[in-house]
Amino acid sequence: MRGEASDVCFDCLDQRVKSDFADQIVFSYGLSDSPLPFGSSAVVKVSNSSEGLSASSCESTSSQFILEYLRKDEHGCLASYIERCGIGEFDAVGCDENLDCSTSGSLATKDDDRELGTENITCGSVTCELSGSCTCWRTIAALLPIARISKCSASDLQKLASSFLSECPEDDILASLHRLIDGKSSGKDTQSFLRLLGLPLLEEKSKLPCLRHPNLSPVLGFLTSSDCLVSVLPKAPYTLENILYYSPGAIKSEWHRNFMIFQLLSALAHLHALKVSHGDINPSSILLSDSLWCWLRISSKPDLSSGGANSSVSRRRWCVEDCYSYSLYADLKISSHLDWQTIFDKWWKGEVSNFEYLLFLNKLAGRRWGDHTFHPVMPWVIDFSKKPENDSDSGWRDLRKSKWRLAKGDEQLDFTYSTFEIPHHVSDECLSELAVCSYKARRLPLSVLRKAVRSVYEPNEYPSDMQRLYDWTPDECIPEFYCDSRIFCSLHPTMSDLAVPPWASSPEEFIRLHRDALESPHVSSLIHHWIDITFGYKMSGQAAITAKNVMLSSSESTAPRSVGRRQLFFRPHPVRLRFSREKEQSRNELEMHTFHGFGVDNKRSVILEADDYLEETEEASAFSEHASHLSPKYHLHRNLDESLLHETSSENTNKADTCLPGTSDNKCLPSSISLDYLLEHVEVREEASTELQELLLWRQDFCSGNISKEIAGDIFSIGCVLAELYLMKPLFNSVSLATYLEGGDLPEMIKELPPPTKLLVEACIEHDWRRRPSAKSLLNSPYFSATVKSAYLFAAPLHLLAKGETRLYYAASFAKQGALKAMGTFVAEMCAAYCLPLVTTPLSDHECESAYVLIKELTKSLTPMAVQRLVLPSIQKILLTTGYSHLKVSLLQHSFVRELWNRIGKRAYLEMIHPLVISNLYNSPDKISASAASVLLIGSTEELGTPVTVHQTILPLISYFGKGTCSDGIDVLVRIGRLLGMNFIAKQMLPLLEHVVCFCIDLSSIKKPEPIHSWCSLALSDCLITLDGLVALISDDLLIHELTKGRLCLHVRVLMQKNIELRVLQFAATSLMSICQRIGQELTALHVLPQLKELFDEFAFSEKSTDVSDSLNWKIRTTKQNSHPESPIKSRMDLVLLLYPSFASLLGMEKLRQGCPTWLLLEQYLLKHHNWKWEYTGQSSRLIMKPRPAANKGLAATHTFKKQLNGSGQSVPQSQGLSDGQEAVLNPLAHEPWSWFASPVACWDGLDIGRFGNTKDEHRWKIRASVLSSAHAHHGALRSLVVSEDECTVFTSGIDPGFKGSVRKWELASLSCVSGYHAHEEVVNDISILSSTGKIASCDGTIHVWNSQTGKLISLFSESPTDQDQASSKNNANESNRLASHGLSTGIFDENLYTCMHYLEYMDQLVVGTGSGSLRFMDLARGQKLQLWRGEPVETGFTSLVSALCSGGSQTKHGEGASVSPSWIAAGFSSGQCRLFDLRESGIISSWRAHDGYVTKLAAPESHLLVSSSLDKTLRTWDLRKSWKPLPVAVKGHNDGVSGFSVWGKDVISISRNNIGIFSLSKSQDEEEQQQQQQRIIPQKLYMADKGGRVRSDLSTICVLPFSRLFIVGAHDGDFRICC
């Protein structure tokens, strides 16, 4: 890392970057180890570089790089090496007899037969001996294999960036590995790379590997100037320090912690093999990618042993002469080498100023100078209302409250906390980017202001003086207002300087007075309150609520973050010594203060007795010990004059690895590698968790004494990092480390580690460094499971600096060859996070094939839950891409979707994928994608079933009418109609289309903006085209039947409208004529002609030959497919020419004149304007209107439902389409499935235009309480029912003769019982479907798990008294909350019987409740009973049986529909109690009285929400975020006990006796209801849709079919009823 001797102020560093690279390189901010703005590294953004995909895994910061300035005189060996290599053109450097600098410009070693020496060479030393230079240079070349050397210029830096982003320097290595997997020849680099990863291969000791280890940060190159070397590194998005501070939840599990340590150990093993130690391993030196892949940063430390100069002199030498920033901070006493306890002690005693102490706290919190998103924060100490005086409170800011609270007011914060879904007071950082840039607006470039403040620069909008600035912002202050007067001076001609308060004559004086105010007794006596709010205990818990300082938490707790609020202290911060205001008031004259302005003299003299401050001293000492974690130590000793990277000097280092497992006998290792050898090492055989005994044996057996002291120091650091990953706080601080070094006493917190981790950490931090294991020994230890090693071998090549396409080819080929299958489902899931980002970027057709293979292999290899969580979101992104994508078309194929269905079930498909398939049919979709989507929708229709098809396919497609629906979308509707039959068309589709036509007609008659009328015309056009296609499919009898009902005379209603686009009218007229020609003369005269009378009368009495609509320029689709073969009409009167002659030809003039009294006026008009008159020829008129062939013309003349190609250009089977010679009319079926399903038109709101053309995100379900159909399922009461996820099958349980229970399986399509399970001896009270495996669990006091296809029993679970006695005997005092003792039951229900159950899909476990109030877990895969959890005794002391169960937490569906494991289980009891169990920690979170009676049902519709029902006639909702004993929202209205409920979206449907009730989980808008914290529901009875009578039998259970928009209720009469 960087030392202060090499540091430069950030102003000078910025100027140096601009000087070296001109304006093409943008300086973002500097990096520093110090609390002050000094450092030698800068984060820059390289402009005009390649925009290709990042080769690294650091995608989010791919255009940002780190420039590290290294003085040549402080890095002599590195400078000599680079000078020896020489500088020429960028792509070519000179060669040396001992070094091979390849033509690509990389630093590389040449094959050398000599063994590496063991000289103690310091790579960064200026005194490196020439005799060792060859060895040192070869080590440097091995560490920097891809680094290029060039001159310090913008163009060369851009070439480096371009090489990293597009050329990808390590692409050839991964390509070679890909060739190996494909069975082709590969180079030696492949074997060398795999050897780096730890694959056992015969090693060539004569040659140093000239490859970068994938866990070492890449140095891209060195740019040389006269005095410096500039190293160029890519910027990683995070460090491990960031993750530990701001998002510890991103490290999701123990496995991820171990995987991270394994990566670091692998990198260390490589370094140590080069005889190089790192020397500074800590969380800040561990870089992480977006997927949390590790890079261990390496850099050279300057050697100061010969210089003897102090850091301040060196710093001054780096900065320019008369550096302004240097003078600002020259007198400060803080340094990066001082720990927090030392700084705190000095501040508390008054030896360090408030300003310095706060800067140090900012550094501990991770804040960075110059980074506007995370700038250091300071308090506003005065309010600028007047000049503050030390003896008065006026003019001072109240430091007991946050600036946000002062600006917003308590009333607004209380309102925010009480009303928002996530309770909080503060919605933003205490110092936002907007505030920082506004504060520094006069010094920042306008480009920065436009980006951070407002896109349109308006100088007058920025506060002009300090008073306005303070009043404007709710944010805190920045350090510049206490030290840098330049912040007031504007660099922009259009923006005036920031005005100082009237009591300051100049910016310089204001800075002095403002700084004096910060150091004043008034502030010093109160600053600890501000520290508590900004960095301390008032950031969390009850203290934060009291201080109105609750921050809005991140919605994604597992997402990594590089910025955030770190809570440093967890108890009140002590007041500064001698500034306790209460004690000062009692002392009065004891203190003598000398003031300048309102500051305090630093030389004040205070005569006090030491005993007066004994209490404060004890408090400060306790606080310092409490916050000792802020002084972490990761090294036993650290010599600041020693390089971080240097060769080791132990005489035993050459023997270091001779006794490692698997390496002692090189003769047994292969010299070459094959695919089978790779698969053998990624294969994971079933294994148990790490046994402690194995680790103990390993620790006894590993070789000791074979590593150097420096390498042992690295191992010590790794042990500290491993412990911190588990403890989430440092293992050692300065005090505990000193205690350990002195007496060998380990910190107490080490006992909190899991036993295997504790043993490994103890081995790493062994007091005697000679007994510590080597990195390779740790890698081979049993601590790291085979899953970790397998995942590492697969994922490491993906993190080479290679092209995205090469990484994709490697991952797809390796997966296709069986790697994912060999490594098992768990490891495949871990590796999916590294693979899936490769498939969501724009790809070529060849890359798409590999991406498709990878997705298919992941789908096969992962568990269904993992596919939903990981793979489906990637598929969603692909389907959402606009334009043509070969990968999207492949994913839309029915064969792939079928595999997906079989893997994840249809419910997940319908939730996450089906809507996106439909989205490819509107809004200008790609033609090929639209065609593939249409074929998929048609092919899936029959399997989905009629109700799901109607609600999830047909209604969404109709909802898109007028909003860009393509011809394939209309074709889907027509072909679905043909597939499901003409009864389906008549019963389902025609009513919906009629509804659309009527809606559009009604809307067109209302005065609306032009876009609305245009939309109406488009929607009518789509509707009439669909109607035209469906009419061609129905029989003449059905056509006549629909015509007599007036449904097909919609065309006449359209023709009567005057505000509809003329092309729509023309199409309606020709379609009407087609229908009339089909039904014939008599039926037309009987049914159609009377409806045309009004239209003909209107035409006859029109005075003008043009219509108002002729002037409207509304546009309609004019594509080739929509062009009408006839000439378009120009006015409404032209419809006379279309209709009258045609009807005359069809009906005959005599019959037409009989039905049209105004025939004379019409014929006169036609003669006058169109020269038409009737001439009888025996067959037709003189002007013959060509009849329109059925369903083939109109606005979509070349209608797509005749097209026989799918999205891939393959022919569709004849059963799915119409051929030219095929009969269009369908024959009705004798008995159609789903015949009981009624049209949803009565519940449908119709089209929704939103603002314009946008559909609603979610349509509310209008429940009519209508029974569509019913079936008698059991002789007695129906006790429970459950519906399969495809909503085609229902399982019922009830009472049969002899009071025995049975379970029956029903097919909903035909409402017939297809099978059953009759092995129960008692009444079955609960059923559960066990995922998509076909297994069913049913409970009658015992648990039966059986096959739903065969009805055969798979396993039987029962509880015996000995089981519970054994569980009680195992009870431990530390687990009393998990297995507490419980009273015996005297109730009628046996304690040993199971009462209810809940399936935990992600674990494939069943949790069941018992009569004794316990929870029993069952492993379904192994058929074994697992742990037993017992609750606490209830209030009465009697046993209460478990009556309801549910799980929640992170299991609920997220935005993209992914589901993961739940975090809690809720149990309801017969006593009315509810208990919340922590599923991960196995303990009770909370227990409370939920109801006054038996709890009948629990459900968790969201991760934080619990809904309960009870026989006390109420339902209650519980928001678990606010408190683990939350206040309920009671839902009342039922007159009897609530026997159950079911949830759909935000609606809850409950049952009580023979009534149902509906209420919404959305917050009520009624303020009175919110105050009373209750809602009311209105019970309603179910009625029979066909008979009109009401259901009188009491209801026992209810289940919602969300995709079918139906619900099923079971009743005491043994029937189940399907309702809508």
Side-chain angles (χ1 to χ4, degrees), residues 1182-1196:
R1182 181 170 59 86
L1183 180 60
I1184 300 175
M1185 302 295 295
K1186 295 182 180 179
R1188 177 178 174 270
N1192 287 343
K1193 294 184 181 180
L1195 268 75

Side-chain angles (χ1 to χ4, degrees), residues 1334-1369:
K1335 296 179 183 178
I1336 303 294
S1338 49
C1339 174
D1340 67 345
T1342 60
I1343 300 294
H1344 293 232
V1345 179
W1346 48 279
N1347 189 305
S1348 63
Q1349 302 296 328
T1350 63
K1352 292 184 178 179
L1353 180 68
I1354 298 174
S1355 55
L1356 177 66
F1357 299 90
S1358 61
E1359 198 77 8
S1360 64
T1362 56
D1363 292 335
Q1364 302 209 16
D1365 292 341
Q1366 290 173 1
S1368 300
S1369 64

Side-chain angles (χ1 to χ4, degrees), residues 71 180 218 220 255 518 686 696 698 750 859 933 1484 1603:
R71 289 185 68 107
L180 172 68
L220 304 179
W255 188 92
L518 179 62
E686 186 176 354
L696 289 171
W698 166 82
I750 200 172
T859 303
I1484 294 178
F1603 301 107

Side-chain angles (χ1 to χ4, degrees), residues 499-683:
V500 299
W503 38 262
S505 60
S506 65
E508 290 75 17
E509 184 181 6
F510 171 80
I511 292 294
R512 180 178 63 80
L513 294 176
H514 203 204
R515 179 74 167 272
D516 286 345
L518 179 62
E519 307 299 338
S520 67
H522 180 94
V523 172
S524 294
S525 64
L526 296 172
I527 192 66
H528 60 286
H529 293 297
W530 185 86
I531 294 173
D532 288 336
I533 293 171
T534 310
F535 300 111
Y537 82 106
K538 291 183 180 179
M539 295 176 65
S540 62
Q542 185 59 42
I545 299 175
T546 304
K548 304 188 189 305
N549 193 43
V550 177
M551 276 283 295
L552 178 62
S553 59
S554 172
S555 58
E556 292 291 339
S557 60
T558 59
R561 301 182 62 193
S562 61
V563 298
R565 297 189 73 179
R566 183 192 182 194
Q567 184 173 347
L568 302 179
F569 312 115
F570 297 87
R571 62 170 59 178
H573 194 286
V575 65
R576 201 172 186 184
L577 183 62
R578 302 182 182 131
F579 283 109
S580 175
R581 303 191 80 186
E582 295 78 6
K583 292 197 174 184
E584 283 199 2
Q585 292 173 1
S586 65
R587 296 189 182 100
N588 294 327
E589 304 294 333
L590 292 180
E591 291 197 46
M592 306 281 297
H593 299 285
T594 304
F595 296 101
H596 294 286
F598 46 80
V600 61
D601 190 351
N602 290 331
K603 298 181 179 180
R604 66 193 179 99
S605 175
V606 184
I607 305 173
L608 295 167
E609 294 293 333
D611 290 344
D612 293 339
Y613 292 101
L614 181 59
E615 183 180 347
E616 286 91 335
T617 302
E618 291 177 351
E619 179 187 359
S621 177
F623 179 78
S624 177
E625 183 178 353
H626 148 77
S628 59
H629 62 278
L630 299 177
S631 303
K633 296 296 179 183
Y634 301 94
H635 317 284
L636 285 173
H637 56 81
R638 181 169 172 184
N639 184 355
L640 295 178
D641 294 337
E642 185 177 283
S643 171
L644 295 181
L645 292 176
H646 61 280
E647 294 204 30
T648 61
S649 56
S650 171
E651 62 183 4
N652 294 318
T653 52
N654 285 333
K655 306 175 184 178
D657 302 323
T658 57
C659 53
L660 290 176
T663 60
S664 57
D665 189 4
N666 281 340
K667 295 181 181 179
C668 299
L669 300 178
S671 58
S672 60
I673 194 169
S674 64
L675 173 62
D676 292 339
Y677 191 67
L678 273 178
L679 292 175
E680 179 185 344
H681 282 80
V682 299
E683 183 179 2

